[in-house]
Amino acid sequence: MKADLIIPTYRPDDTFCLLMQKLQEQTFVVHRVIILNTEEKLWKEAVEKYPIEQSLCGLPCEYTLYHISKEMFDHGGTRMCGVKHSDADIVIFMTQDAVPADKNLVANLVKGLEEKDTAVCYARQLPNENCRIVERYTRSFNYPDESRKKGKADIEEMGIKTFFCSDVCAAYRVDLFHKLGGFESPVIFNEDMFFAAKAVFAGYYVKYEAEAKVIHSHNYTVRQQFHRNFDLAVSQTMHPEIFEQISSEAEGMKLVKSTMKYLCSIGKPYLIFELGIQCVGKYAGYRLGKRYKKLSRKQILKCTMSPEYWKRLWNQEVSDGNR
């Protein structure tokens, strides 16, 4: 099967160069790397600062580079644009800060899609060396060391995690991707999870492949957690067909309790305070996001991490209203 790799970029740096270098070592060679860069000016600045061009020239496959403006970026629409430029059987989405952990990442993702009823296969995310303890545990909670194939029959047991999927590193069967309508656009967040839900409700499966591993984690500040969870809650509120049936809050509480237990077990109960502060930021953003319809536009722009999404949405509403 032929696979293309699609990577949205914005201010690429040395981690992106490392990603390109690790792609050169893969046992399964992708057909093409498709880069969807936001703001050509910023790409040129990055090229002057980092060895990006050298890393790209070392790839064992061809690559294509497309530039879009910041105003046009959309988590779903931009990735859909990448799919349109691909003629492969499988498309693999990665973010610019996800680095293959070994030489078999692509091979294991492709293997995860061998069964024709599997629509998407996503990778295990391992923490960076500088990852804080709480975030390190969160990675192990969300990305365990056992693979699992998830379908409609698993909803009762797994709840919202049945639909969990991450485009930080995930492979899609192109035939099913088109059959199910691909990603929606515009979308503020969770385009991967919404597609996974569509696939599951249509009778297909989502595969979590623990042997496909990337190194990826963040040490978010409380403010960043607030903005991120605001957008997360907005995306959920916009999809009541999924989230009114299956609550994500129960899974969040399960993670908090599990993390507290873990911190005590390793003799670091004092980190529960740090966890609590993080939870306050997350919950405040989440509750405001759930009530975004009651907020003014000015308030929304202060809460979101995606102001360009809102500006596009509001402009579209004006255009639709003038027809």
Side-chain angles (χ1 to χ4, degrees):
M1 299 180 80
K2 187 164 66 174
D4 282 346
L5 178 59
I6 300 172
I7 308 175
T9 60
Y10 179 67
R11 297 182 186 275
D13 55 17
D14 51 358
T15 305
F16 176 74
C17 295
L18 181 58
L19 165 57
M20 292 300 104
Q21 292 165 17
K22 292 293 184 180
L23 287 177
Q24 297 170 22
E25 303 169 0
Q26 293 296 300
T27 55
F28 187 106
V29 179
V30 297
H31 171 249
R32 182 189 297 119
V33 173
I34 300 171
I35 301 168
L36 306 169
N37 178 68
T38 300
E39 295 296 343
E40 184 174 3
K41 177 183 176 181
L42 298 179
W43 175 271
K44 291 178 178 178
E45 290 176 359
V47 166
E48 292 178 0
K49 190 174 181 180
Y50 303 102
I52 291 174
E53 290 185 335
Q54 297 93 310
S55 300
L56 289 171
C57 289
L59 290 171
C61 64
E62 60 181 283
Y63 75 90
T64 51
L65 171 65
Y66 301 95
H67 297 290
I68 61 172
S69 66
K70 189 175 182 180
E71 291 74 21
M72 292 304 296
F73 175 81
D74 173 69
H75 287 287
T78 299
R79 288 178 170 86
M80 285 289 285
C81 181
V83 177
K84 291 177 182 177
H85 289 296
S86 170
D87 61 355
D89 307 295
I90 292 172
V91 289
I92 301 170
F93 294 106
M94 289 186 72
T95 55
Q96 67 184 41
D97 58 348
V99 178
D102 57 36
K103 299 178 181 180
N104 299 311
L105 169 66
V106 177
N108 285 322
L109 284 173
V110 172
K111 184 179 179 181
L113 293 177
E114 283 181 340
E115 297 179 356
K116 294 183 178 180
D117 60 359
T118 303
V120 54
C121 174
Y122 66 100
R124 182 182 182 187
Q125 295 183 31
L126 302 174
N128 285 292
E129 289 183 0
N130 67 346
C131 185
R132 292 195 295 256
I133 291 176
V134 171
E135 177 60 21
R136 187 175 292 273
Y137 180 75
T138 299
R139 280 284 173 269
S140 66
F141 182 88
N142 289 329
Y143 302 95
D145 56 10
E146 273 190 37
S147 301
R148 179 153 187 175
K149 188 176 176 181
K150 304 177 292 184
K152 196 181 295 187
D154 297 298
I155 294 176
E156 185 175 351
E157 175 198 346
M158 300 186 72
I160 202 67
K161 289 199 81 171
T162 309
F163 313 130
F164 184 74
C165 180
S166 175
D167 278 346
V168 163
C169 185
Y172 294 74
R173 291 184 66 99
V174 173
D175 56 348
L176 294 182
F177 185 81
H178 288 307
K179 180 179 180 180
L180 294 168
F183 298 135
E184 64 178 78
S185 177
V187 61
I188 190 171
F189 205 72
N190 274 343
E191 81 290 336
D192 38 22
M193 192 169 178
F194 298 149
F195 178 85
K198 281 196 298 184
V200 168
F201 286 131
Y204 296 101
Y205 291 86
V206 174
K207 177 73 181 290
Y208 165 60
E209 182 49 70
E211 293 304 311
K213 293 171 283 190
V214 291
I215 298 170
H216 177 265
S217 61
H218 293 287
N219 289 322
Y220 285 126
T221 65
V222 175
R223 180 184 292 272
Q224 289 171 323
Q225 294 282 19
F226 172 88
H227 293 311
R228 180 178 174 82
N229 279 269
F230 177 84
D231 288 355
L232 171 67
V234 168
S235 71
Q236 292 185 1
T237 304
M238 290 180 169
H239 289 79
E241 74 281 2
I242 300 173
F243 295 98
E244 282 188 1
Q245 300 178 54
I246 309 169
S247 172
S248 65
E249 293 181 49
E251 188 62 30
M253 284 304 301
K254 182 179 176 181
L255 171 59
V256 172
K257 291 177 181 178
S258 182
T259 305
M260 291 173 65
K261 184 177 179 180
Y262 169 75
L263 292 175
C264 290
S265 73
I266 63 172
K268 297 183 183 292
Y270 56 88
L271 289 178
I272 292 176
F273 177 75
E274 176 189 325
L275 173 65
I277 296 297
Q278 292 284 336
C279 288
V280 169
K282 287 182 178 181
Y283 190 71
Y286 185 83
R287 297 311 299 173
L288 276 173
K290 280 288 187 179
R291 293 163 172 77
Y292 81 92
K293 293 180 182 178
K294 296 181 179 180
L295 302 179
S296 67
R297 291 188 175 186
K298 186 177 181 180
Q299 289 172 322
I300 288 173
L301 291 177
K302 285 184 177 180
C303 293
T304 186
M305 63 186 298
S306 309
E308 298 303 330
Y309 163 81
W310 292 100
K311 292 172 184 177
R312 284 184 63 196
L313 183 67
W314 294 331
N315 288 335
Q316 184 176 311
E317 288 174 355
V318 170
S319 298
D320 291 343
N322 290 333
R323 289 179 182 174

